[in-house]
Amino acid sequence: MGNYDHKKIEAKWQKKWEKEGLYNTKDDGSKEKYYILDMFPYPSGAGLHVGHPKGYIATDIFARMKMLQGYNVLHPMGWDAFGLPAENYAIKNKVHPRIAVEKNIKTFKDQLLKLGFTYDWDREINTTDPEYYRWTQWIFLQFFKKGLAYESFEPINWCPSCQTGLANEDLEDGRCERCGSVVERKPMRQWVLKITDYADRLLNDLEKLSGWEDSIKEMQKNWIGRSEGANVVFKVESRKSKVESQLTVFTTRPDTLFGCTYMVVAPEHPLILNFKLSILNYQEVEDYIEKAKNKSDLERTELQKDKTGVELKGIKAINPVNNEEIPVYVADYVLNSYGTGAIMAVPAHDERDWEFAKKYDLKINEVVSGGKVQDEAYCGDGPMVNSDFLNELSVDTAKKKMIEWLEENKVGKKSVSYKLKDWVFSRQRYWGEPIPLIHCEKCGVVAVPEEDLPVKLPEVENYAPTGTGESPLADIKEWMNVKCPKCGGPAKRESNTMPQWAGSSWYWLRYMDPKNSKAMVDKEKEKYWSPVDFYVGGAEHATRHLIYARFWHKFLFDIGVVNYEEPFTRLQHVGLILAEDGRKMSKRWGNVINPDEIVEKYGADSMRVYEMFMGPFSQPCAWNTNGLVGARKFLDKVWNLTQTKKLIDCGDGKDCPGVKEGLPRLLHQTIKKVGEDIENFRFNTAISQMMIFINLASKLESVPKAAVEKFLIILAPFAPHLAEEIWHDLGGNESIFKETWPKFNSDLAKEEMINLVVQINGKLRDTISVSADISEEEAKGEALKSEKIKKWLDGKEVVKIIFVPEKLINIVIK
Ligand code: ANZ
Ligand code: ZN
């Protein structure tokens, strides 16, 4: 297909570039740096489909433009290869995950190489390489030493199929994000990272990230989920046994305390066991708890779901503000993991409480006026009613006043809750970084000395999950049994491994200094390269990865390893490429397109141009082979132009061919637009502008060589192989990527000017100079601004204005 031999050209230049080390990045402090980063891929068994490289093509175009503009560009690539998918793939196909990962990486890399990217492969990293994960373990130890990694025995999310604990971030609609199984709750020994200590900074610093899309910042904000309110302490007592206790709730609406008519505790709440002997219907309560046990948080809190619960008979709570006795329920719509795991229910002003109260026939007391609380919960503003010292206040004022009252009476205080939970950081699986800790009977948990890192993942015969709460590593006696680094006594290694997200939580730092064996990154290098100027990747990482990454980076800042508090200055998400049938590309649908076939048939340059031309970069677009053919035709046109036309050495002169047809103006407009469009990731409009240029140039008998050369330089980021080939064909000795990005001449780039006649009542009164494609509105405005015209209009009424494009304006007056 096509007119130029893409196979020959592309292979030739890929080899040459590699041999010359064209993309090897030097730590050259004399030049201004630009660090552009792709989210590194997970090398799955299936290889890349045509959707995967879309972001990489974009960053490659960007990186090449920056190179041409004289920046020292860092554009690295690596592999995020630990974690469940690799391990599940390995178990299914009965190969060791290490072997599977090696093979997959090779496939991925071959595929990427064929697309002609600028990656500096000398800086390639792999999260499963012990020389890499030594530093992942080192960072964990710093967390541990600062008290930010702790052992917990709380019930956590458990995937019954992957047989491992999961973090909240690993769930999607209450299911395991990896295998789709419904997640259960299971008590388990875990290592947890205290990300909640950073919640406020993660939230507040979003404001500094002006280079991030608002939608992503909003998702992070919701994920962190900061709620301000109060904790309120209720007395709870049993009539029968005179047992007394306290129940603390978290509420965002302390103003409604007078409207609290009952309380609810989560099924896991310890209060239930404490009152076991006083609860008259304990069997019923226990049955209910048993049923609630396996339900996911999502199932429990869905608004539409029918609310269920059981009263704890025999015990009562006392509302501290009016000493009213109110019933206490257990119900699974209250989560143990949020706030305090207990609520004060205000059915008049909370939807879920309202439904529950209707179902169990509980009192509904209005305390904020404005609604019809017998018909539905009213969530709007006041004035407050039935609330003693709060009456007539607005909700906001009442909140403040109630918090003052609670604090004065020592039955509560201002409080903040976060949806963000501490990060469950251990997995009961084989294929991950071993957690570098040792359990000693005498000394407790002891850190592996830093000089003993990395703690290498040992070979095992059986790496399938055990389901026991320990990883398969626990079976390897020689590995597990060690001497305690503190007392020398017998001790055991931690058998849990780190989650898949660990290795990707700091990898951008390692590219700056990938071979350093003394530190995770050299301080000077970090100072030069940080922060990442531009980060491009999938929107699915808006929360998980990007929250973890910011958290680790901030921690590394706090311990003095890095110089900047935020890792990524600018962030752009990639719109999906869908299959031709409009569905997501997936093996399941049999609609996957392999880039190798496209490259083989149409060439890498065509695929690059096509993917950037499909539509606005951040929007999803369906693949269409006709579009691909169109991209190839455009490149063929460029090729033909340089092969069949006379190229004239006339500089930028007036006597050059194409002046009359407006070629110089179009060239400079194209230079301007392509540069601005790449900067703003508007590749599709950049390409259509280049098409317009080529169409005009192709119509001419001969074209100025200088114009073609400038055009080639701005085309080169998109179609590097073809541009390089033609460049050399036209006599270039060095790579086109050693040229400089052309400057546009803003006078030349200006629109063509024409003279418009301005008439008043059909008589010529002035001529004005305007751009040829001026709009009607603008033209009228310009005419009315003319001093000569103003004189004629003085005191007269304008009846109408007639506009004849490119000719005249006639103003009709009375
Ligand atoms: C009384 C009240 C009255 C409430 C009212 C709301 C409206 P956000 O905004 O999401 O932070 N709540 C507290 N802990 C809970 C838990 N563990 N499980 C389920 N619900 C819980 O929501 C905070 C509100 O959610 C709290 O304020 C509490 O109900 C409920 F007119 O307290 B509120
Ligand atoms: Zn010890």
Side-chain angles (χ1 to χ4, degrees), residues 307-506:
K307 307 272 165 304
T308 59
V310 174
E311 185 180 353
L312 307 180
K313 294 208 169 111
I315 67 172
K316 292 278 178 214
I318 313 289
N319 186 337
V321 81
N322 56 12
N323 289 321
E324 227 170 76
E325 264 192 8
I326 54 176
V328 183
Y329 279 75
V330 54
D332 65 11
Y333 77 91
V334 172
L335 301 178
N336 199 43
S337 55
Y338 187 64
T340 64
I343 64 159
M344 57 180 243
V346 184
H349 307 290
D350 179 280
E351 266 176 70
R352 287 172 302 173
D353 298 345
W354 188 90
E355 269 175 51
F356 192 86
K358 277 284 171 195
K359 180 163 172 186
Y360 294 102
D361 207 12
L362 296 157
K363 269 201 289 184
I364 299 176
N365 286 355
E366 176 181 56
V367 289
V368 185
S369 58
K372 283 204 180 79
V373 300
Q374 292 309 321
D375 299 341
E376 61 180 352
Y378 174 65
C379 305
D381 201 350
M384 305 294 301
V385 291
N386 305 322
S387 294
D388 197 337
F389 59 92
L390 299 182
N391 282 342
E392 282 166 41
L393 299 178
S394 72
V395 164
D396 267 349
T397 323
K399 275 184 191 168
K400 289 192 193 104
K401 194 123 193 221
M402 182 55 91
I403 290 174
E404 273 166 30
W405 186 91
L406 291 168
E407 288 178 351
E408 258 163 42
N409 291 277
K410 300 201 165 49
V411 283
K413 58 172 191 289
K414 200 171 177 160
S415 160
V416 175
S417 276
Y418 299 92
K419 293 266 154 33
L420 182 74
K421 290 282 154 288
D422 277 343
W423 178 6
V424 174
F425 195 71
S426 42
R427 298 291 177 275
Q428 293 69 46
R429 299 286 302 233
Y430 170 68
W431 192 235
E433 301 87 346
I435 292 179
L437 295 174
I438 288 169
H439 298 266
C440 167
E441 273 174 35
K442 263 206 335 243
C443 315
V445 181
V446 182
V448 170
E450 285 179 17
E451 57 275 18
D452 291 351
L453 297 180
V455 177
K456 282 199 192 155
L457 192 57
E459 293 291 320
V460 289
E461 253 152 56
N462 192 0
Y463 43 80
T466 62
T468 59
E470 297 291 330
S471 87
L473 295 178
D475 287 340
I476 313 172
K477 299 263 158 0
E478 323 78 80
W479 186 81
M480 283 294 283
N481 294 324
V482 286
K483 276 197 193 131
C484 168
K486 240 190 200 161
C487 71
K492 278 195 169 18
R493 286 194 190 281
E494 170 62 56
S495 74
N496 283 340
T497 55
M498 298 187 197
Q500 194 200 320
W501 306 105
S504 59
S505 294
W506 69 280

